[in-house]
Amino acid sequence: SLGSSSYIANLLAGLSMTYRGTFREGDRVKVGETVGIVEELKVMITRVRTPKNEIVIIPNSKILNTDVINYSQLAKTRGLLLHTTVSIGYDTPWRQVEAMLIEAARCTQGLNQEPQPFVLQTSLSDFAADYEVNAYCSDVSNLQRVYSDLHANIQDVFNEYGIQIMSPAYIADPESAKVVPPERWHTEPASPPERL
């Protein structure tokens, strides 16, 4: 009895999802805590491949009763808005911070140049301002790599200009700025970038 009710719930959920067009095979989605690419849609279950190359089998009744984020649906037409936040002390001019964050976003492969990246100041805390850089992305197949590259570019740009990032908590100014000068960017075992 319990098994048959679960069977019917999954069956009805699968039909409902198909009718509503929740997502398609190949879409990048988040179902509950699971993020990945939809590999297979069946009447009873959905298979999702995570960025770690794990296959997660999700009963369709669970999908029907869970919040679902579809990253792919609008990415190709309007773009998915990627964002990340840094906290910077008040001794750095906000215009400089915004310009550096936009420069980092423009250097990041996988982020669109149009519409242009933009920055929002999300809060004014006791010791720092929080800045959120936003940029559009059309290809959502490798979001982790794009985010990683964006974070690396932010570090490089801020180090290049000698500005200390105090995320996630800025409490006090250290005696010397915590920045890495460009001549130390490729300290062993890191290798220098290949020249074109």
Side-chain angles (χ1 to χ4, degrees):
S1 174
L2 183 62
S4 64
S5 65
S6 175
Y7 177 87
I8 292 170
N10 284 322
L11 180 65
L12 292 175
L15 294 171
S16 175
M17 286 169 43
T18 302
Y19 176 73
R20 291 184 347 188
T22 308
F23 45 71
R24 297 181 214 153
E25 289 182 7
D27 282 358
R28 184 180 183 89
V29 297
K30 180 176 182 181
V31 179
E33 295 300 313
T34 302
V35 177
I37 305 293
V38 177
E39 291 281 305
E40 189 176 27
L41 285 167
K42 295 283 189 184
V43 174
M44 301 292 291
I45 54 100
T46 297
R47 284 185 170 83
V48 176
R49 182 175 41 86
T50 72
K52 301 295 185 191
N53 217 24
E54 305 155 325
I55 296 292
V56 179
I57 299 167
I58 307 170
N60 287 337
S61 60
K62 180 178 178 184
I63 295 172
L64 198 60
N65 295 311
T66 304
D67 290 338
V68 176
I69 299 173
N70 187 330
Y71 298 104
S72 301
Q73 202 165 41
L74 296 177
K76 291 189 191 296
T77 55
R78 298 182 189 172
L80 179 68
L81 195 57
L82 303 189
H83 60 279
T84 194
T85 303
V86 295
S87 299
I88 307 297
Y90 291 112
D91 57 333
T92 304
W94 66 265
R95 291 172 184 87
Q96 181 185 22
V97 175
E98 289 190 6
M100 289 188 297
L101 288 170
I102 289 171
E103 181 180 334
R106 286 185 176 146
C107 294
T108 304
Q109 285 190 339
L111 294 179
N112 301 349
Q113 300 304 310
E114 290 296 328
Q116 293 183 13
F118 62 93
V119 175
L120 300 173
Q121 291 189 42
T122 58
S123 70
L124 301 174
S125 303
D126 291 340
F127 302 101
D130 293 330
Y131 299 85
E132 181 186 86
V133 60
N134 295 266
Y136 288 90
C137 177
S138 297
D139 180 8
V140 297
S141 61
N142 203 358
L143 290 181
Q144 284 184 305
R145 170 53 53 200
V146 176
Y147 267 119
S148 179
D149 291 347
L150 175 60
H151 293 151
N153 287 334
I154 289 171
Q155 290 181 74
D156 283 349
V157 170
F158 277 71
N159 282 324
E160 183 180 343
Y161 288 98
I163 304 301
Q164 182 172 339
I165 299 174
M166 299 296 282
S167 298
Y170 184 113
I171 297 172
D173 290 320
E175 290 182 21
S176 60
K178 303 292 184 196
V179 297
V180 180
E183 61 270 15
R184 289 186 44 221
W185 286 1
H186 303 288
T187 302
E188 291 183 0
S191 57
E194 293 181 17
R195 302 283 181 206
L196 297 177

